[in-house]
Amino acid sequence: MYAFEIERPSTIGDAASALGHDGAQALGGGQTLIPTLKQRLAAPEKLISLTAIPEMQGVCIGDAGEVCIGGATTHATVARETAKSYPALSGLASHIGDPAVRNRGTIGGSLANNDPSACYPAAALGSGATIVTNTRKIAADDYFQGMFTTALEPGEIITEVRFPVPQKANYQKFVQPASRFALVGVFVAKYADGVRVAVTGASEDGVFRWDAAEAALSRDFSAAAIEGLTASATNLISDLHGTPAYRAHLIKVLTKRAVMAAA
Amino acid sequence: MTQVSMTVNGKAVSGDVEGRTLLVDFLRGGLHLTGTHVGCDTSQCGACVVHVNGIAVKSCTMFASEAAGAEVRTIEGMANKDGSLSVIQAAFQEHHGLQCGFCTPGMVMSAAALLKENPKPTEHEVRAYLEGNICRCTGYHNIVKAIMAASGQDVAAIAAE
């Protein structure tokens, strides 16, 4: 690693001002950033740790019944504390990485990084979540802007993520066993006003919604409803783990499994 | 360099670290607690697992300065006060839960974290919890058996002989 300093502010305000300096970079749980620094793929002058800020920790229920999660909340805490309020989200969080990674990695860090194979982007987009930052609220539909690209401005901090709770939901992840990321993952959520289907791990553009499946499932929430559909392989990821056609096939299989498992 | 202070295995310690100093490097290089191993240095293998405030973490993927003020426990702090092996350590010995021993510190620390939150895990739960701990001798069967035995369960029918 190149040399850098670390600051650990205890308020969002202090963190925001520290991030206003050139060469400053936010540090969440570090489960992606630290390996990146080890490979010298990033060279920040100063890391601003967001894990010592009490107001960015924990899970609560908002006024509209939505599940509100502090940006620096670890995957392990989300898994534990949303088990009753949003089981599909809890299930997703409980299968990210491995136990020690879940004890450090944070929801805000995952969403800010927007890895094309990460799990949380599928939950946020599939739930129509709201990404709350220190300056504004961003709808998930506007937030994800391509592989490793988001609507966040430099220095902007994800302080909270708000998930409307669906009637039924499920996340199906086809694990790439070496990395423990999703080779393909599909999050299906049924709300009173329609169904959302978000796909991660598959596209060169990062997480995306499968519109045709959403329309079909909104009419009839059953695996049979999407039997006649084919997920497009255009612009899907091609690597040694799978071809675009293979990933397209997985999208449909996992969507059907998610619908059948949704509770 | 900044000074960092924490409690390691019940003892107050402090030392000078750089921002980039990893917790594992502070433990091994600064405190000479070399029981915690660096296997992969890419947070895959789990040989470096320690407990920070009672929670299992990969000490190769956390900065020393992030553990400031924390209670850290390493493999050196796992034996009983009289120096005898703890229940988990004794079970690893009894059931031959190690071959070359390189992964063992991380396996023991992960096992302790698992049994703290789930005192009677099933074999499947043990295997799932060890997802982030890799044994390149592939000695998993006896590791799983040792952890099941440490939880007080009958292991006669567990895993392959």
Side-chain angles (χ1 to χ4, degrees):
Chain A
M1 283 180 276
Y2 296 109
F4 49 79
E5 294 172 40
I6 297 185
E7 274 185 34
R8 300 183 80 212
S10 58
T11 67
I12 292 170
D14 287 351
S17 17
L19 283 167
H21 293 98
D22 284 347
Q25 155 84 45
L27 170 66
Q31 302 304 286
T32 296
L33 182 55
I34 294 176
T36 305
L37 291 167
K38 286 180 180 180
Q39 294 182 60
R40 293 193 163 185
L41 294 173
E45 288 168 23
K46 191 174 273 192
L47 291 184
I48 313 301
S49 167
L50 303 179
T51 54
I53 303 174
E55 56 192 316
M56 281 174 59
Q57 298 279 351
V59 177
C60 66
I61 305 298
D63 295 340
E66 74 274 33
V67 171
C68 302
I69 302 173
T73 308
T74 64
H75 310 326
T77 300
V78 173
R80 196 169 56 240
E81 296 194 10
T82 64
K84 288 203 173 67
S85 55
Y86 195 166
L89 182 64
S90 168
L92 175 146
S94 69
H95 288 93
I96 296 172
D98 60 56
V101 167
R102 292 194 286 275
N103 284 337
R104 289 292 299 165
T106 67
I107 186 169
S110 173
L111 292 175
N113 190 47
N114 192 19
D115 188 295
S117 298
C119 295
Y120 267 128
L125 189 62
S127 305
T130 301
I131 317 296
V132 183
T133 77
N134 55 319
T135 57
R136 59 188 170 139
K137 298 184 177 71
I138 311 169
D141 284 324
D142 302 323
Y143 176 82
F144 298 103
Q145 300 188 348
M147 196 179 275
F148 297 111
T149 308
T150 71
L152 291 177
E153 300 289 341
E156 194 172 1
I157 301 166
I158 298 176
T159 56
E160 190 176 80
V161 188
R162 295 181 187 161
F163 291 87
V165 180
Q167 298 165 342
K168 295 179 174 184
N170 186 259
Y171 177 63
Q172 292 287 320
K173 171 182 177 180
F174 194 93
V175 177
Q176 201 292 87
S179 71
R180 306 185 188 103
F181 275 89
L183 184 60
V184 174
V186 178
F187 195 97
V188 173
K190 180 178 187 294
Y191 289 89
D193 60 353
V195 174
R196 294 175 70 100
V197 178
V199 180
T200 189
S203 172
E204 292 283 358
D205 294 328
V207 68
F208 70 96
R209 290 170 67 184
W210 186 14
D211 299 338
E214 290 186 354
L217 291 168
S218 294
R219 285 191 297 273
D220 170 16
F221 193 74
S222 74
I226 59 165
E227 197 58 61
L229 299 181
T230 306
S232 166
T234 304
N235 214 25
L236 295 194
I237 295 169
S238 178
D239 60 20
L240 76 168
H241 307 299
T243 61
Y246 182 64
R247 282 183 161 87
H249 179 73
L250 277 179
I251 291 170
K252 181 169 161 181
V253 169
L254 295 175
T255 303
K256 287 199 283 188
R257 286 184 187 171
V259 170
M260 287 189 281
Chain B
M1 299 283 256
T2 51
Q3 191 170 69
V4 65
S5 301
M6 63 187 81
T7 304
V8 177
N9 299 328
K11 196 172 139 196
V13 299
S14 61
D16 289 328
V17 297
E18 290 186 82
R20 62 183 167 178
T21 304
L22 297 166
L23 178 58
V24 70
D25 292 331
F26 179 66
L27 294 170
R28 290 177 56 86
L31 305 178
H32 306 297
L33 294 173
T34 53
T36 301
H37 290 168
V38 180
C40 65
D41 202 27
T42 56
S43 63
Q44 303 287 316
C45 82
C48 67
V49 169
V50 301
H51 298 178
V52 175
N53 293 329
I55 290 171
V57 305
K58 293 183 171 174
S59 60
C60 83
T61 310
M62 176 173 179
F63 295 115
S65 61
E66 293 183 287
E71 300 263 347
V72 177
R73 197 174 190 207
T74 71
I75 189 69
E76 287 90 347
M78 290 303 285
N80 297 321
K81 285 213 172 70
D82 64 2
S84 60
L85 295 181
S86 66
V87 170
I88 294 171
Q89 290 171 309
F92 269 70
Q93 183 184 51
E94 169 71 19
H95 296 280
H96 195 53
L98 63 161
Q99 291 180 32
C100 84
F102 194 89
C103 72
T104 311
M107 290 289 182
V108 170
M109 299 312 287
S110 282
L114 166 64
L115 296 184
K116 189 175 147 198
E117 67 181 64
N118 184 358
K120 298 277 180 203
T122 64
E123 180 179 345
H124 174 75
E125 287 170 339
V126 173
R127 290 183 184 276
Y129 199 88
L130 293 181
E131 184 166 15
N133 290 83
I134 294 173
C135 167
R136 278 305 61 156
C137 307
T138 68
Y140 297 104
H141 285 327
N142 285 351
I143 291 168
V144 172
K145 195 181 233 183
I147 296 171
M148 297 291 286
S151 72
Q153 302 186 75
D154 180 12
V155 295
I158 302 277
E161 287 296 338

